[in-house]
Amino acid sequence: MPDLSPDSLLQTLQLQPDNHLVLALSGGLDSMVLLDLLAKALQLQPFALQAVYVNHGISAFASQWGDFCARQCAERGVAFAQRNVVLTGRDNLELKARTARYQALAEFICSDKHLLLTAHHGDDQLESLILALKRGSGAAGLSGIAARSNFAGGKLCRPLLPFSRTELAAYATQQQLSWVDD
């Protein structure tokens, strides 16, 4: 099992110097851990890094979270962008938000050198499998969250899947990271 370190992250991602990484940054614990690891990995190996915050407008705090993400990126010297999306209707809001978020992030993934990174972790994987079982999904639905898949013009990578939320929280505490509770 890999350790939660910049070296291990680089080994997992197997980056080339011309790779362009785009981090989906919410400001929550998970994505702040990944931002910290990526910023430290950037000191060990060259690659392009940009973080993107997608404001769904669902929470009254969404703009504040975007400002928080922008400050955290500035402190680490990481390029930052924010996209605002508009959701219509209140039914199936979580699905609409996820769809809009990935549509907004797709604009940043334009070649096979581009990787979108999300901070899904092992607890998310377990939750996904439990929901699939509850829905009566077949074998394809029970495969869980893929660590790597095609996305837009490049790839979608989830390098934190081997780790639990507890492990991420321990790392964040040890590194004295700040995050928002979304």
Side-chain angles (χ1 to χ4, degrees):
M1 178 174 198
D3 64 307
L4 200 52
S5 70
D7 287 319
S8 180
L9 180 65
L10 288 171
Q11 186 176 4
T12 298
L13 293 174
Q14 299 179 349
L15 301 177
Q16 301 302 314
D18 59 349
N19 278 132
H20 187 104
L21 276 59
V22 177
L23 170 62
L25 185 65
S26 69
L29 169 71
D30 316 335
S31 67
M32 290 307 299
V33 166
L34 191 49
L35 174 65
D36 189 70
L37 287 167
L38 287 166
K40 290 175 178 169
L42 195 51
Q43 297 172 10
L44 302 173
Q45 177 181 328
F47 57 89
L49 176 60
Q50 178 177 25
V52 179
Y53 173 76
V54 178
N55 182 344
H56 304 96
I58 297 172
S59 170
F61 302 105
S63 291
Q64 292 172 4
W65 296 338
D67 293 343
F68 170 81
C69 289
R71 283 192 308 275
Q72 293 296 312
C73 288
E75 287 175 14
R76 292 169 173 83
V78 173
F80 176 79
Q82 178 172 320
R83 293 296 180 265
N84 299 316
V85 297
V86 177
L87 305 177
T88 56
R90 302 303 282 177
D91 60 308
N92 212 348
L93 197 55
E94 189 174 325
L95 175 62
K96 287 180 179 179
R98 183 174 45 252
T99 301
R101 180 172 54 252
Y102 281 109
Q103 285 174 345
L105 292 166
E107 105 181 48
F108 295 90
I109 310 300
C110 25
S111 80
D112 62 352
K113 301 297 181 189
H114 287 78
L115 303 174
L116 173 63
L117 301 181
T118 65
H120 291 94
H121 51 77
D123 294 24
D124 295 324
Q125 181 75 286
L126 179 60
E127 180 182 333
S128 176
L129 289 172
I130 290 170
L131 290 172
L133 281 170
K134 192 174 168 182
R135 286 191 305 264
S137 295
L142 294 177
S143 62
I145 301 171
R148 198 184 258 302
S149 60
N150 292 326
F151 178 77
K155 296 281 185 198
L156 168 60
C157 302
R158 298 176 177 104
L160 299 183
L161 281 178
F163 304 99
S164 69
R165 190 174 198 298
T166 301
E167 290 171 303
L168 299 182
Y171 176 90
T173 300
Q174 178 190 30
Q175 300 298 315
Q176 300 178 331
L177 301 182
S178 299
W179 64 87
V180 299
D181 289 315
D182 54 356

